[in-house]
Amino acid sequence: MDKNHLQRQLEMKRSLLDQGYLDEQFIQLEELEDGDNPNFVEETVTTFYANSARLLQNIEQALGSRPIDFTALDNCMHQFKSSSTSIGATRVKKECTLFMEYCEAANAEGCIRTFRQVKQEHASLKTKLENYFKLARQGGTSAGGHAGRS
Amino acid sequence: MASDTDYDSDGMRGNGDGGLSEGNGRRRKHPFMTWRNNLRALVVDNARTCRIMESGLLDAYGVEVEAVGTGEAAVELIASGETFDLIVLEMFLPFMSGPETARTIREMGISCKILGIAPMYCEKDAQEFLAAGIDEFLEKPFTPELFIPFLMEIDNQK
């Protein structure tokens, strides 16, 4: 295991935490990695992005329909927020909360505006995590620091 | 607008994909905690990522976990004779909601601890869920700090 690589990995993670992209829940995720599941973190995040992409598509479609079904939108966003929370995606979670407030107020414009932010944060985090996992793989470790696939 | 993104709407118990397990029989070799008794938990959450985390955490803390994606699947599992010491139940389930699921489970005579979970705390939701029969309402994320006290209580009472 390259010490420099590990250091860079740790610094990248610290940066993501300090900038508020991720919170302690991501650390919990990493602690669940073990020898039997050395790539648990990356696999869980991959699952999150695969599933959330479809959810976002559904929300997008719902926002485009008239009249807007705010109850259905809220239900969808509940699920999306739950998933985001479970991987520690703090900024995404915050935008979800704001969206849900607009939903409750049946504020279409607010929902549309906030949804743009949700998508932006979602995409931004995806890029950062892809870089993080790439670095982990290059160093011969998993995200949680286990010797995994390179 | 029904979203079937990561619902297990047909009630299938996922085995995870890419090697990810949502519980369902998997046991960690070296859990973070051990208990005097064998503890079994049922996770009921329609969001796959959440199921993975919730199952993973409980497994890491020495609990045998089953995970399903719908209230209907949970009821079916319990009706088939499976017993659990703890049920972790999401409020906003599709079709049969969390409160409806809790009510049905209690009507079946099941008295185990049920922890209701939701992505955000709302007094109205909490009251509704508690009235339906859960023991505690928790805001996600589902963390060891939240569930370990309940596991200790359950283990001491068995």
Side-chain angles (χ1 to χ4, degrees):
Chain A
M1 193 187 304
D2 183 342
K3 219 168 140 186
N4 283 335
H5 251 112
L6 187 58
Q7 187 61 34
R8 277 161 54 203
Q9 193 182 326
L10 288 171
E11 280 167 7
M12 192 182 277
K13 182 168 68 181
R14 179 44 50 192
S15 172
L16 289 171
L17 289 164
D18 288 345
Q19 289 179 69
Y21 283 101
L22 295 172
D23 62 26
E24 283 302 310
Q25 188 63 11
F26 187 79
I27 310 295
Q28 290 276 5
L29 193 60
E30 288 190 320
E31 286 175 1
L32 295 182
E33 249 181 24
D34 63 4
D36 291 335
N37 274 307
N39 300 304
F40 179 77
V41 181
E42 189 172 355
E43 287 172 2
T44 303
V45 169
T46 302
T47 301
F48 166 72
Y49 274 99
N51 290 328
S52 61
R54 289 195 293 273
L55 262 175
L56 290 178
Q57 213 171 33
N58 285 350
I59 295 172
E60 186 104 58
Q61 279 170 12
L63 281 173
S65 65
R66 294 292 179 272
I68 293 179
D69 184 346
F70 287 103
T71 305
L73 261 182
D74 191 55
N75 288 342
C76 231
M77 190 50 85
H78 261 99
Q79 189 183 353
F80 181 73
K81 188 187 170 186
S82 276
S83 299
S84 304
T85 302
S86 73
I87 66 156
T90 323
R91 287 195 186 188
V92 177
K93 191 172 73 171
K94 279 184 183 151
E95 296 300 333
C96 291
T97 303
L98 199 51
F99 182 97
M100 287 158 77
E101 287 170 9
Y102 281 121
C103 243
E104 201 177 320
N107 183 332
E109 201 183 302
C111 283
I112 291 166
R113 196 172 54 244
T114 316
F115 187 58
R116 276 198 286 269
Q117 286 301 112
V118 168
K119 286 193 295 183
Q120 196 172 308
E121 292 296 346
H122 182 257
S124 180
L125 179 63
K126 186 178 184 193
T127 304
K128 289 181 187 301
L129 285 174
E130 277 170 353
N131 290 340
Y132 176 70
F133 293 132
K134 188 175 168 188
L135 184 64
R137 281 197 297 274
Q138 285 169 350
T141 64
S142 62
H146 287 85
R149 59 171 193 263
S150 52
Chain B
M1 177 189 74
S3 172
D4 61 353
T5 48
D6 61 355
Y7 292 175
D8 283 338
S9 54
D10 58 359
M12 286 186 67
R13 286 144 60 180
N15 281 323
D17 48 9
L20 283 177
S21 171
E22 300 174 11
N24 299 349
R26 171 182 178 257
R27 299 304 296 270
R28 180 180 283 253
K29 284 191 189 122
H30 305 289
F32 299 151
M33 282 181 84
T34 54
W35 308 96
R36 291 185 302 120
N37 300 283
N38 183 46
L39 301 183
R40 288 193 86 216
L42 173 64
V43 166
V44 191
D45 200 318
N46 57 313
R48 185 170 171 74
T49 315
C50 294
R51 276 203 307 279
I52 291 166
M53 271 305 286
E54 288 149 11
S55 301
L57 277 168
L58 286 165
D59 173 62
Y61 282 86
V63 180
E64 186 185 334
V65 189
E66 293 280 346
V68 295
T70 65
E72 291 89 339
V75 167
E76 194 184 308
L77 193 56
I78 292 167
S80 74
E82 296 272 1
T83 57
F84 301 97
D85 303 296
L86 175 70
I87 299 173
V88 179
L89 178 59
E90 157 67 49
M91 173 142 193
F92 296 99
L93 296 173
F95 316 113
M96 184 185 255
S97 69
E100 284 167 350
T101 305
R103 202 168 291 116
T104 306
I105 290 172
R106 291 301 189 212
E107 284 168 1
M108 292 165 78
I110 305 300
S111 58
C112 74
K113 199 71 90 177
I114 303 179
L115 302 181
I117 54 175
M120 56 200 278
Y121 181 84
C122 165
E123 182 64 31
K124 183 166 152 274
D125 291 340
Q127 292 306 321
E128 182 193 346
F129 217 173
L130 287 161
I134 63 166
D135 294 285
E136 194 75 33
F137 183 91
L138 304 171
E139 182 179 337
K140 288 176 172 177
F142 187 67
T143 61
E145 292 76 22
L146 290 179
F147 65 76
I148 286 175
F150 293 102
L151 293 179
M152 289 173 75
E153 189 186 326
I154 292 164
D155 193 42
N156 286 336
Q157 284 173 355
K158 267 188 99 166

Coordinates of all heavy atoms in Angstrom, one line a residue, chain A residues 7 11 15 20 22 25 29-30 32 45 65 78 81 84 89-90 92 97 101 104 107 112 116 118 120-121 123 139 146:
Chain A
Q7 N -2.4 8.8 2.0 CA -2.4 10.1 2.6 C -3.3 11.0 1.7 O -4.1 11.7 2.2 CB -1.0 10.7 2.6 CG -0.9 12.0 3.3 CD -1.3 12.0 4.7 OE1 -1.1 11.0 5.5 NE2 -1.9 13.1 5.2
E11 N -6.8 12.8 2.7 CA -6.9 14.3 2.5 C -8.1 14.6 1.7 O -8.9 15.5 2.0 CB -5.6 14.8 1.9 CG -4.5 15.1 2.9 CD -3.2 15.3 2.2 OE1 -3.2 15.5 0.9 OE2 -2.2 15.4 2.9
S15 N -11.3 16.6 3.0 CA -11.8 17.8 2.2 C -13.3 17.7 1.9 O -14.1 18.7 2.0 CB -11.0 17.9 0.9 OG -11.6 18.9 0.1
G20 N -18.5 20.0 3.4 CA -19.9 19.7 3.7 C -20.6 18.8 2.6 O -21.8 18.7 2.6
L22 N -20.0 15.6 2.4 CA -20.3 14.3 3.1 C -20.3 14.6 4.6 O -19.7 15.6 5.1 CB -19.2 13.3 2.8 CG -19.1 12.7 1.4 CD1 -17.9 11.9 1.3 CD2 -20.4 12.0 1.0
Q25 N -22.0 10.0 8.4 CA -22.7 8.8 7.9 C -21.8 8.1 6.9 O -21.8 6.9 6.8 CB -24.0 9.2 7.3 CG -24.9 8.0 6.9 CD -25.3 7.1 8.1 OE1 -25.2 7.5 9.3 NE2 -25.9 6.0 7.8
L29 N -20.4 4.3 6.9 CA -20.4 3.4 5.7 C -19.0 2.7 5.6 O -19.0 1.5 5.4 CB -20.7 4.3 4.5 CG -21.1 3.7 3.2 CD1 -22.3 2.8 3.3 CD2 -21.3 4.8 2.2
E30 N -18.0 3.5 5.7 CA -16.6 2.9 5.6 C -16.4 1.9 6.7 O -15.6 0.9 6.5 CB -15.6 4.0 5.6 CG -15.6 4.9 4.4 CD -14.4 5.8 4.4 OE1 -14.1 6.4 5.4 OE2 -13.9 6.0 3.3
L32 N -18.3 -0.2 7.8 CA -18.9 -1.5 7.6 C -18.1 -2.3 6.6 O -18.5 -3.5 6.4 CB -20.3 -1.2 7.0 CG -21.3 -0.5 7.9 CD1 -22.7 -0.4 7.2 CD2 -21.5 -1.3 9.2
V45 N -22.4 3.2 -2.8 CA -22.6 4.5 -3.5 C -23.0 4.3 -5.0 O -23.8 5.0 -5.5 CB -21.2 5.3 -3.4 CG1 -21.3 6.5 -4.3 CG2 -20.9 5.7 -2.0
S65 N -45.5 17.8 -15.4 CA -46.9 17.5 -15.7 C -47.8 18.6 -15.1 O -47.4 19.3 -14.1 CB -47.3 16.2 -15.1 OG -47.2 16.2 -13.7
H78 N -39.1 12.1 -0.5 CA -38.8 11.4 0.8 C -37.9 10.3 0.6 O -36.9 10.1 1.3 CB -40.1 10.9 1.4 CG -40.7 11.7 2.4 ND1 -41.8 12.6 2.1 CD2 -40.5 11.9 3.7 CE1 -42.1 13.2 3.2 NE2 -41.3 12.9 4.2
K81 N -34.4 11.6 -0.4 CA -33.7 12.1 0.8 C -33.2 11.0 1.7 O -32.1 11.1 2.2 CB -34.6 13.1 1.5 CG -33.9 13.8 2.6 CD -34.8 14.6 3.5 CE -34.0 15.1 4.7 NZ -34.7 15.8 5.7
S84 N -30.1 9.5 0.2 CA -29.0 10.5 0.3 C -28.5 10.6 1.7 O -27.3 10.6 2.0 CB -29.5 11.9 -0.1 OG -30.0 11.9 -1.4
A89 N -24.7 12.1 2.2 CA -24.7 13.2 1.2 C -25.3 14.4 1.7 O -26.5 14.7 1.4 CB -25.3 12.7 -0.1
T90 N -24.6 15.2 2.5 CA -25.2 16.3 3.3 C -25.8 17.4 2.4 O -26.9 17.8 2.7 CB -24.1 17.0 4.1 OG1 -23.2 16.0 4.6 CG2 -24.7 17.7 5.3
V92 N -26.8 17.3 -0.7 CA -27.9 16.8 -1.4 C -29.1 16.8 -0.5 O -30.2 17.2 -0.8 CB -27.6 15.4 -2.0 CG1 -28.9 14.8 -2.7 CG2 -26.5 15.4 -2.9
T97 N -34.5 18.8 1.6 CA -35.3 19.3 2.7 C -36.0 20.6 2.2 O -37.2 20.8 2.4 CB -34.5 19.6 3.9 OG1 -33.8 18.4 4.3 CG2 -35.3 20.1 5.1
E101 N -40.1 21.4 1.5 CA -40.8 22.5 2.1 C -41.6 23.2 1.1 O -42.8 23.6 1.3 CB -39.8 23.5 2.8 CG -39.2 23.0 4.1 CD -38.0 23.8 4.6 OE1 -37.8 24.9 4.0 OE2 -37.4 23.4 5.5
E104 N -44.6 21.1 0.3 CA -45.7 21.2 1.3 C -46.5 22.5 1.1 O -47.7 22.5 1.3 CB -45.1 21.2 2.7 CG -46.1 20.8 3.7 CD -45.5 20.7 5.1 OE1 -44.4 20.2 5.2 OE2 -46.2 21.1 6.1
N107 N -45.6 25.1 -3.8 CA -45.0 26.1 -4.6 C -44.2 25.5 -5.7 O -43.1 25.0 -5.6 CB -44.0 26.8 -3.6 CG -43.3 28.0 -4.2 OD1 -43.1 28.1 -5.4 ND2 -42.9 29.0 -3.4
I112 N -39.3 23.7 -8.6 CA -38.5 23.6 -9.9 C -37.1 24.2 -9.6 O -36.1 23.6 -10.1 CB -39.2 24.4 -11.0 CG1 -40.5 23.6 -11.4 CG2 -38.3 24.5 -12.2 CD1 -41.5 24.3 -12.3
R116 N -33.3 22.0 -9.4 CA -32.1 22.2 -10.2 C -30.9 22.1 -9.2 O -29.8 21.6 -9.6 CB -32.1 23.6 -10.8 CG -32.8 23.7 -12.1 CD -32.4 25.0 -12.9 NE -33.1 26.2 -12.3 CZ -34.3 26.6 -12.6 NH1 -35.0 26.0 -13.6 NH2 -34.7 27.7 -12.1
V118 N -30.8 20.4 -6.4 CA -30.7 19.0 -6.0 C -29.9 18.2 -7.0 O -28.9 17.5 -6.7 CB -32.1 18.3 -5.9 CG1 -32.0 16.8 -5.8 CG2 -32.9 18.9 -4.7
Q120 N -27.8 19.4 -9.2 CA -26.4 19.9 -9.3 C -25.6 19.3 -8.2 O -24.4 18.9 -8.4 CB -26.5 21.4 -9.1 CG -25.2 22.1 -9.5 CD -25.4 23.6 -9.5 OE1 -26.3 24.2 -10.1 NE2 -24.5 24.3 -8.9
E121 N -26.1 19.3 -7.0 CA -25.4 18.7 -5.8 C -25.2 17.3 -6.0 O -24.1 16.7 -5.7 CB -26.1 19.0 -4.5 CG -26.1 20.5 -4.1 CD -24.7 21.0 -3.8 OE1 -23.8 20.3 -3.7 OE2 -24.6 22.3 -3.7
A123 N -24.9 15.6 -8.8 CA -23.9 15.4 -9.9 C -22.5 15.7 -9.4 O -21.5 15.0 -9.6 CB -24.3 16.2 -11.1
G139 N -4.4 3.2 -5.4 CA -3.5 2.9 -4.3 C -3.6 1.5 -3.8 O -2.9 1.1 -2.9
H146 N -9.4 -0.9 2.9 CA -9.1 -2.3 2.8 C -8.3 -2.6 1.5 O -8.6 -2.0 0.5 CB -10.3 -3.2 2.9 CG -10.9 -3.2 4.2 ND1 -11.8 -2.3 4.7 CD2 -10.7 -4.1 5.3 CE1 -12.1 -2.6 6.0 NE2 -11.5 -3.7 6.3

